[in-house]
Amino acid sequence: MTGPDREPTGDGLEVLLFAGLAEAVGRSRLRVEPPLPDTVGALAARLREEWPGLSRATFRTAVNQRYAADESPVRPGDELALIPPVSGG
Amino acid sequence: MIAVTQEPIDVDAVLRAVEGPSEGAVALFLGRVRDHARGREVERLDYEAYGGMAEAEMTALAETARREHGAAKVALVHRVGRLEIGDVAVAVAVSSAHRPEAFAACRWLIDTLKERVPIWKKERYEDGEEWIAEHP
């Protein structure tokens, strides 16, 4: 499975936000500059500290468009997304 | 047929996508926009999707339905954008040789889609709006 097309992002990465999370933060994408945390869980913890709109939010995390566990690694250029509780259908 | 689309869902095309000479049973589920929710009157819905991931998740669900739930062919289409009361928001069609597998796989697909696929709806009311969080 290949990742999505995306612009080179140097040593940092992009984090996509959706729906109520995007509204709570006031933007739909965040740039994370190096040094990057090693894992998805550590990155999420850093984002919760940096963005008050995320501090107590409920979300899952996706890396390159797949749900990822907290211990999954994070690498420069990855496309991360914070997935608030879904409500399709 | 797996798609997240801004356009109205063509239900006939969804049914054609699961046709086959060995498939004697077809189950179709349509989710339509309802005029009430949680005791409030709903005027319309706005759906947002994480497009690429939503289609990837839907593709994975279709594969699991074929591998583990006896589906022969699967079509999954979810509409996004602004939807009015009565519009079809989601269509799930499953074919199989006989009806038990078609019913069971169709039920599993819509239930699991609602739990996993990154799509969100915002309900619009006369006096406000709210993003709905159903499945953490």
Side-chain angles (χ1 to χ4, degrees), chain A residues 1 4 16-23 58 60 62 64-67 79-89, chain B residues 47-50 52-53 56-57 78 89-90 113-122 129 131-136:
Chain A
M1 189 142 211
L16 305 178
L17 307 179
F18 296 93
L21 272 190
E23 286 188 2
T58 298
R60 301 170 70 183
N64 299 330
Q65 305 194 354
R66 298 176 70 100
Y67 286 114
E79 178 181 298
L80 262 90
L82 307 186
I83 311 285
V86 300
S87 53
Chain B
Y47 281 94
E48 177 181 334
Y50 180 8
M53 181 174 169
E57 284 287 319
H78 204 300
V90 61
L113 179 151
K114 290 171 78 84
E115 290 170 2
R116 280 190 65 85
V117 176
I119 297 176
W120 301 270
K121 70 177 155 223
K122 176 185 267 185
E129 59 186 41
W131 282 107
I132 305 305
E134 283 177 349
H135 295 280

Side-chain angles (χ1 to χ4, degrees), chain B residues 35-93:
Chain B
D35 67 359
H36 65 280
R38 284 160 282 275
R40 298 184 77 176
E41 186 173 333
V42 174
E43 295 196 328
R44 64 181 173 91
L45 299 180
D46 289 303
Y47 281 94
E48 177 181 334
Y50 180 8
M53 181 174 169
E55 291 191 345
E57 284 287 319
M58 288 159 66
T59 299
L61 293 185
E63 288 170 2
T64 302
R66 286 191 290 268
R67 196 174 59 242
E68 298 179 11
H69 299 274
K73 296 182 179 175
V74 173
L76 292 176
V77 182
H78 204 300
R79 189 173 168 191
V80 294
R82 173 177 173 155
L83 275 71
E84 309 292 341
I85 305 301
D87 283 348
V88 175
V90 61
V92 180

Side-chain angles (χ1 to χ4, degrees), chain A residues 2-75:
Chain A
T2 56
D5 293 336
R6 53 185 180 266
E7 296 296 317
T9 53
D11 292 333
L13 51 74
E14 293 274 324
V15 180
L16 305 178
L17 307 179
F18 296 93
L21 272 190
E23 286 188 2
V25 174
R27 43 203 301 187
S28 59
R29 80 180 43 220
L30 303 174
R31 173 101 191 130
V32 178
E33 298 296 344
L36 294 180
D38 292 336
T39 65
V40 165
L43 180 75
R46 179 165 140 191
L47 291 172
R48 286 182 188 279
E49 287 179 10
E50 291 178 357
W51 297 91
L54 298 177
S55 62
R56 300 175 63 178
T58 298
F59 57 80
R60 301 170 70 183
T61 310
V63 177
N64 299 330
Q65 305 194 354
R66 298 176 70 100
Y67 286 114
D70 279 351
E71 57 271 24
S72 300
V74 169
R75 299 184 181 88

